[in-house]
């Protein structure tokens, strides 16, 4: 069964760092790309970053470039989102999602979604 479980969210100070994890089961990262999305109160869902299967491609939203880094540990079937220099506007529920593609994008076409993890950045 294909599942995605986010973890690592919490409360962090502005300027701090946090690493989110997306643990996947039931499929291999060799064949699925993973995207990170977020949704803040009163805002639409926003694509944050993604990594294609086998690391074929990565993408970042302009708002997080230079601050966030996506990475994979295929042995652990886990995708990470390292978030540095966090800002209050990064506060949102963060979701990971899977798509059966070597490449990735920040649109909403992903087939499978996790339940999300809350990230709150205090000012």
């Amino acid at each position: 069964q294909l599942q995605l479980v986010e973890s690592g969210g919490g409360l962090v100070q502005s300027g701090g760092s946090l690493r989110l994890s997306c643990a996947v089961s039931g499929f291999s990262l060799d064949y699925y790309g993973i995207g990170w999305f977020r949704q803040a109160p009163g805002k639409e869902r926003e694509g944050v970053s993604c990594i294609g299967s086998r690391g074929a491609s990565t993408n970042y939203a302009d708002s997080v470039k230079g601050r966030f880094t996506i990475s994979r540990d295929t042995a652990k079937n886990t995708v990470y989102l390292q978030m540095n220099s966090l800002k209050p506007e990064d506060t949102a529920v963060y979701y990971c999602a899977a798509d059966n593609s070597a490449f990735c994008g920040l649109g909403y076409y992903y087939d499978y979604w996790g339940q999300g993890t809350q990230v709150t950045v205090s000012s």
Side-chain angles (χ1 to χ4, degrees):
Q1 183 179 1
L2 193 152
Q3 293 184 335
L4 303 93
V5 180
E6 303 93 338
S7 63
L11 177 65
V12 66
Q13 297 176 2
S14 180
S17 298
L18 201 63
R19 188 177 73 163
L20 304 183
S21 298
C22 176
V24 305
S25 61
F27 64 97
S28 171
L29 294 178
D30 286 342
Y31 300 104
Y32 282 80
I34 302 295
W36 283 100
F37 298 81
R38 66 187 182 187
Q39 188 163 22
K43 296 184 178 180
E44 295 184 348
R45 182 175 53 185
E46 175 189 17
V48 176
S49 183
C50 63
I51 185 165
S53 64
R54 307 177 186 180
S57 64
T58 59
N59 281 294
Y60 295 92
D62 288 342
S63 59
V64 307
K65 286 181 179 178
R67 299 190 298 120
F68 291 10
T69 303
I70 192 168
S71 62
R72 310 181 307 163
D73 186 336
T74 56
K76 297 182 181 294
N77 265 11
T78 300
V79 175
Y80 303 98
L81 184 67
Q82 179 67 46
M83 305 184 295
N84 298 325
S85 301
L86 283 163
K87 306 173 181 179
E89 51 263 45
D90 295 318
T91 296
V93 177
Y94 283 71
Y95 302 88
C96 62
D99 176 68
N100 188 9
S101 175
F103 302 96
C104 73
L106 301 181
Y108 309 143
Y109 59 87
Y110 289 79
D111 297 319
Y112 305 97
W113 294 80
Q115 294 300 307
T117 184
Q118 176 71 48
V119 171
T120 302
V121 184
S122 62
S123 60

